[in-house]
Amino acid sequence: MKLVYFSWVKDRIGMAEETVELPDDVKTVADFLAWMPGRGANFAAALADPAIIRVAVDQEYATAETIVVGASEVALFPPVTGG
């Protein structure tokens, strides 16, 4: 699965994208956000407040219940503001 990071999430993680194989117990966006901080201090720093992180699965906004199994891409980004 391709993971893509944007804005300060990308800066804190230290890369724009990577390819990973998810553990078998990661099935939903909520599982994914719980798993990511355990990958290292940079991931923990970027996801310290997972409630503010926005997630897209295969380029569509996702909720905590969205299934990630079988997805080709998950993107993480901070809240989007407009003006």
Side-chain angles (χ1 to χ4, degrees):
M1 169 182 295
K2 181 178 179 181
L3 305 182
V4 183
Y5 310 115
F6 294 96
S7 190
W8 57 256
V9 176
K10 174 180 74 173
D11 295 340
R12 291 178 188 176
I13 289 176
M15 65 184 98
E17 62 183 55
E18 63 177 320
T19 301
V20 300
E21 188 168 329
L22 296 180
D24 291 338
D25 60 339
V26 175
K27 302 197 182 312
T28 65
V29 166
D31 296 337
F32 176 82
L33 291 174
W35 169 71
M36 285 288 286
R39 296 184 61 213
N42 55 332
F43 295 98
L47 302 170
D49 187 359
I52 66 168
I53 299 296
R54 300 297 172 249
V55 179
V57 176
D58 289 336
Q59 300 183 2
E60 292 193 21
Y61 282 110
T63 66
E65 297 81 26
T66 300
I67 301 297
V68 296
V69 175
S72 59
E73 179 184 277
V74 173
L76 303 178
F77 46 96
V80 178
T81 59

